[in-house]
Amino acid sequence: MTHNVFVLGLTSMQREELGTVHETGGLEFHDLLDHESLVATEEIDFDALLERARAELDAFDGSVDAIVSHWDFPTSVLGPMLAAERGLPAPSLTSLLKCEHKYWSRLEQRRAVPEVVPGFVAFDPFADDVAQQIDLNFPYWVKPIKGHSSNLGFEIRDDADLQAALEEIRAEITDVGDAFDQVLARVELPEELQGLGGSACLAEEIIRGTQFAPEGSVSRGEYSVHGVFDMLKSESGLSIERIDYPAATVPDHVQQQARDITGRLLEHIGFDDGCFNSEFMWDEEEERLRLIEVNTRISQSHSEMFTLVDGRSNHQVAVDVALGHAPSMPKGEGDLAVAAQYVVVHEGDAIVRGIPDASVLEQLAERYPGTKVDFPVSVGDRLSELPHQDSYRYLLAIVYVGAPDRESLRRRIEDIEETLQFDLEDCGEGRS
């Protein structure tokens, strides 16, 4: 029997990746809502999106057998809510929010895995006494309790940095914060969260070291990890520049420690029938592991790398779990031994006058089979006007490439960077 699987915010690249997923009886994938409404927008009305999605599912002439989501909020919450309404496998809304709400998540982490939790404090960015609310020493990091990627995240080194960050946060935080309030109203919040709405912020002790990320799932109470990734930072140390698979920058015993800690936390919050990717920082000098966050979904950034190395995208796990099956992810059955996703960025505001054309991409794919390039910009775009940009850079391209070994991977990335040329008309100073 063919299973009908609905995927929120489905893109053409993801539809291609879904072609690697195997299931007895076959699968038919359907769009649920559109990428523009869910991802490429700064205006989110969660309740309206929920009603639209319900209407699309109700209008479908057939069985709805699974609902899959792999984008950040609102998709990460919308998908499980829709699945639960139809009696399909999904995490409870409360367990989701104990990860999605960054302050609530830290409180639960402190209860379950205190050894890996940095110092933190919640604050109201609209208050007059923000500096007095934050009892951390400089430098520290501030971010929304519900953000999008690294948007509105800032390293604060002094009072001037804090004031500059607050100006941007106050201007933009309600874009996501108001929608998150619509979700928070659906659950009973603990006393510690009273008065901290969707537009609250979190200040955290800065943790440094080597960043890496296990990805896995919990299906019918069975916890498993199907891959671990290196997350390599830019020279500034503020943003992730490249992701490598499989991880090689931290020892195996540290990777296992991160797996165990993630499992303990997810069991503590009652998370089941869902996927996750957790992010950790390993300080080799102090031999100390810290937890950054847990995301309640597979990472769409990892999908192409799984395909290159393992022969199947991580959508396999997402679909298995959504259907109520134990995940069946192969290992090492791809054409290449290592893979990377890296980003091409620009640090100043600019108008895009030209991007690499199809012939350039065809040459790269012929030179390095499996290579794919995704452009989140189009000719005529002004970078500062694009949604969900990081606070320290503007994204021009996302590149996926594999290689038979790590040295070959490094050389391929260098060659691709030289090949991809953009025509940008500067129209502002770079970000500090």
Side-chain angles (χ1 to χ4, degrees):
M1 180 185 75
T2 299
H3 298 278
N4 293 305
V5 180
F6 287 78
V7 185
L8 284 149
L10 185 61
T11 65
S12 58
M13 180 180 289
Q14 288 161 349
R15 185 172 284 280
E16 185 177 338
E17 293 162 355
L18 285 164
T20 69
V21 177
H22 299 176
E23 172 62 34
T24 303
L27 297 164
E28 187 168 343
F29 294 103
H30 307 271
D31 295 20
L32 181 56
L33 300 182
D34 58 277
H35 183 267
E36 287 295 318
S37 298
L38 292 169
V39 182
T41 181
E42 291 185 339
E43 296 182 2
I44 302 170
D45 183 334
F46 187 88
D47 291 342
L49 289 171
L50 182 61
E51 289 304 316
R52 279 181 53 196
R54 285 170 174 163
E56 288 187 22
L57 293 172
D58 289 342
F60 179 68
D61 185 18
S63 62
V64 177
D65 301 306
I67 299 173
V68 173
S69 53
H70 45 232
W71 295 106
D72 204 344
F73 183 81
T75 313
S76 54
V77 175
L78 198 60
M81 283 184 63
L82 292 164
E85 289 178 353
R86 292 177 173 266
L88 301 173
S92 69
L93 181 56
T94 298
S95 70
L96 283 171
L97 292 176
K98 286 180 178 180
C99 291
E100 294 273 339
H101 189 299
K102 295 186 186 299
Y103 181 54
W104 197 353
S105 184
R106 284 301 193 199
L107 293 173
E108 296 299 333
Q109 292 166 25
R110 193 161 62 187
R111 294 182 180 107
V113 288
E115 68 275 19
V116 294
V117 181
F120 64 94
V121 61
F123 67 92
D124 176 4
F126 296 98
D128 295 329
D129 62 342
V130 170
Q132 285 69 49
Q133 293 182 53
I134 302 174
D135 57 351
L136 298 174
N137 295 325
F138 295 123
Y140 54 80
W141 187 260
V142 298
K143 56 188 174 183
I145 56 100
K146 180 69 263 174
H148 193 288
S149 300
S150 298
N151 189 37
L152 299 183
F154 301 91
E155 183 176 2
I156 307 301
R157 295 156 293 190
D158 51 35
D159 288 328
D161 278 352
L162 179 59
Q163 291 308 311
L166 287 173
E167 286 186 20
E168 287 198 45
I169 289 171
R170 288 165 175 165
E172 300 179 30
I173 193 170
T174 56
D175 292 344
V176 174
D178 288 351
F180 198 50
D181 276 331
Q182 294 175 318
V183 179
L184 295 178
R186 298 172 182 271
V187 300
E188 185 175 348
L189 298 174
E191 185 177 346
E192 302 103 311
L193 269 63
Q194 298 301 322
L196 290 171
S199 295
C201 284
L202 189 69
E204 292 190 333
E205 171 191 352
I206 288 181
I207 52 179
R208 305 194 188 277
T210 302
Q211 192 167 337
F212 67 103
E215 181 176 292
S217 63
V218 186
S219 181
R220 297 183 176 181
E222 291 296 319
Y223 169 79
S224 63
V225 172
H226 53 265
V228 183
F229 293 76
D230 286 330
M231 304 184 74
L232 308 176
K233 293 192 173 184
S234 60
E235 289 185 9
S236 70
L238 297 173
S239 303
I240 299 299
E241 185 175 62
R242 178 174 144 189
I243 304 173
D244 283 10
Y245 176 67
T249 60
V250 297
D252 289 344
H253 77 275
V254 176
Q255 294 186 33
Q256 186 58 50
Q257 186 181 354
R259 293 168 184 248
D260 294 343
I261 286 168
T262 305
R264 282 165 50 200
L265 175 62
L266 294 177
E267 182 178 10
H268 167 76
I269 65 174
F271 183 89
D272 196 5
D273 292 324
C275 298
F276 70 87
N277 64 91
S278 52
E279 298 177 18
F280 287 84
M281 195 80 78
W282 168 244
D283 187 327
E284 185 176 10
E285 291 185 5
E286 295 188 5
E287 294 190 348
R288 187 170 189 182
L289 186 65
R290 296 290 189 91
L291 175 60
I292 299 171
E293 64 182 0
V294 178
N295 301 298
T296 56
R297 54 183 167 75
I298 62 167
S299 172
Q300 54 89 23
S301 296
H302 299 165
S303 299
E304 286 295 327
M305 290 182 278
F306 275 117
T307 300
L308 291 168
V309 174
D310 295 328
R312 204 173 300 177
S313 83
N314 53 353
H315 289 92
Q316 178 71 59
V317 177
V319 171
D320 283 338
V321 173
L323 289 169
H325 302 166
S328 55
M329 189 71 182
K331 277 292 177 189
E333 295 183 10
D335 295 328
L336 298 161
V338 294
Q341 180 228 61
Y342 79 91
V343 295
V344 179
V345 298
H346 186 67
E347 294 189 356
D349 192 11
I351 297 173
V352 180
R353 297 304 185 194
I355 62 176
D357 61 25
S359 65
V360 174
L361 303 187
E362 289 170 3
Q363 292 171 15
L364 287 175
E366 184 176 346
R367 195 181 312 161
Y368 307 124
T371 298
K372 293 184 179 179
V373 183
D374 184 33
F375 297 116
V377 298
S378 301
V379 174
D381 285 345
R382 181 163 179 165
L383 299 180
S384 62
E385 296 176 354
L386 297 174
H388 307 308
Q389 293 288 321
D390 285 356
S391 299
Y392 292 94
R393 62 183 183 176
Y394 298 108
L395 186 61
L396 298 178
I398 305 170
V399 181
Y400 303 89
V401 58
D405 55 65
R406 295 187 185 277
E407 177 56 28
S408 298
L409 182 64
R410 183 190 64 78
R411 292 197 301 268
R412 290 184 181 191
I413 289 173
E414 289 180 352
D415 183 38
I416 293 170
E417 285 182 335
E418 292 177 1
T419 303
L420 293 177
Q421 297 296 316
F422 293 81
D423 182 6
L424 301 175
E425 178 187 335
D426 286 335
C427 53
E429 296 180 357
R431 293 185 176 187
S432 59

